[in-house]
Amino acid sequence: MSYIIKTASEIKKMRISGKLVSEVLEMIEEYIKPNISTEKINNICHDYIVTQQKAIPACLGYHGFPKSICISINDTVCHGIPSDSKNLKEGDIVNIDVAIIKNGYHGDASKMFYVGKISDLAKRLCEVTRESLYQALNIVRPGIPLYKIGETIEKYVQKEKFSVVKEYCGHGIGYNFHEQPHILHYKNKKNNNIVEENMIFTIEPMINTGGAEVKCMKDGWTVKTKDRSLSAQYEHTILVTKDGCNILTWQKNETIPSILINQP
């Protein structure tokens, strides 16, 4: 499998794209309150990306997706479409997935937000999902097989008695929104290509409180858990360095450093 190893000038552009994505996720936090519509959240993000950042929302029109960001609530796993008729309510957990294009290059990240006071189960799900991503980030370095990323996530999540969605994965990213390699979030030894310095890809585990099975709704985008259990996701775009990785979409409230030195 041929991966796109990024050049110094591409990495410089992708650092900018990643930073812009993190700024959108930081900016929108204050608006995540009961009764706001997901359409309004979408419009705030769209205007910020286009007007303030002078960038392009990568999701808008991508394979026909109708909005600028994805907003996935409670049992929605991913690709939730913002809508005027969908309002946040107290107790919801919400994933906001932002991807932007700046200078021709993409950045991509998502995180969970709490609407008011949430249940203990919902909180633990979000914490486990973020920790599964962090544990994966803490092993990334040149020389490891790609399946180690998924193995690390799956092992931790199963220990916590949750399940990993297998239908969707992380991906290479750069000039194109989705590039090789596929980054699986579960162990599959066929995914045995070796991580190399200056690769850039996303890791984005989707974790359910119930079963791992999902279904796509009639709109062709919205993916929900089959058993209607809660789902959470965290995503970062990362650059593989000579001795670890850089989190290009790192945000101010992270409990992990943006630069990771990962020893063998």
Side-chain angles (χ1 to χ4, degrees), residues 65 70-81 165-168 206 208 212-226 228-233:
F65 190 78
C70 300
I71 304 179
S72 303
I73 305 169
N74 295 337
D75 64 337
T76 300
V77 177
C78 60
H79 306 155
I81 301 173
V165 173
K166 295 185 176 179
E167 282 84 348
Y168 300 91
M206 302 172 200
N208 301 343
E213 295 75 23
V214 301
K215 58 181 179 180
C216 190
M217 300 294 104
K218 286 179 182 172
D219 61 26
W221 285 104
T222 307
V223 176
K224 289 182 177 280
T225 55
K226 212 163 193 176
R228 306 305 299 268
S229 62
L230 294 173
S231 189
Q233 181 191 23

Side-chain angles (χ1 to χ4, degrees), residues 179-197:
E179 300 176 348
Q180 294 291 350
H182 295 310
I183 309 296
L184 305 182
H185 303 121
Y186 60 95
K187 183 177 180 178
N188 181 341
K189 284 208 165 176
K190 291 179 183 172
N191 197 217
N192 63 357
N193 294 85
I194 301 302
V195 172
E196 296 178 49
E197 185 177 355

Side-chain angles (χ1 to χ4, degrees), residues 27-176:
M27 174 277 299
I28 200 61
E29 183 152 25
E30 67 177 291
Y31 296 97
I32 308 301
K33 292 176 179 169
N35 301 318
I36 190 171
S37 74
T38 55
E39 176 73 8
K40 185 167 184 185
I41 296 167
N42 175 81
N43 293 344
I44 292 165
C45 289
H46 176 91
D47 291 346
Y48 186 82
I49 293 165
V50 172
T51 308
Q52 299 287 322
Q53 297 183 329
K54 310 285 191 242
I56 299 166
C59 293
L60 185 59
Y62 184 72
H63 292 310
F65 190 78
K67 301 293 177 177
S68 296
I69 60 172
C70 300
I71 304 179
S72 303
I73 305 169
N74 295 337
D75 64 337
T76 300
V77 177
C78 60
H79 306 155
I81 301 173
S83 163
D84 258 335
S85 61
K86 187 78 179 171
N87 290 349
L88 299 187
K89 63 184 189 301
E90 180 86 15
D92 284 344
I93 56 171
V94 185
N95 179 272
I96 295 183
D97 192 342
V98 174
I100 65 104
I101 308 166
K102 181 77 172 181
N103 303 317
Y105 282 79
H106 291 74
D108 187 11
S110 81
K111 66 171 286 190
M112 301 301 296
F113 296 86
Y114 304 168
V115 184
K117 184 170 171 47
I118 64 169
S119 71
D120 290 344
L121 178 63
K123 188 167 188 285
R124 193 167 79 82
L125 172 67
C126 293
E127 288 171 350
V128 166
T129 304
R130 186 165 78 160
E131 179 61 22
S132 77
L133 171 58
Y134 284 4
Q135 288 200 13
L137 294 171
N138 274 310
I139 65 149
V140 173
R141 57 181 167 79
I144 69 162
L146 280 171
Y147 75 77
K148 282 284 181 191
I149 295 170
E151 180 181 58
T152 300
I153 291 167
E154 187 175 49
K155 187 176 174 185
Y156 172 70
V157 168
Q158 287 182 343
K159 181 169 70 72
E160 296 293 328
K161 303 290 192 284
F162 293 145
S163 59
V164 179
V165 173
K166 295 185 176 179
E167 282 84 348
Y168 300 91
C169 60
H171 52 89
I173 185 169
Y175 182 77
N176 301 299

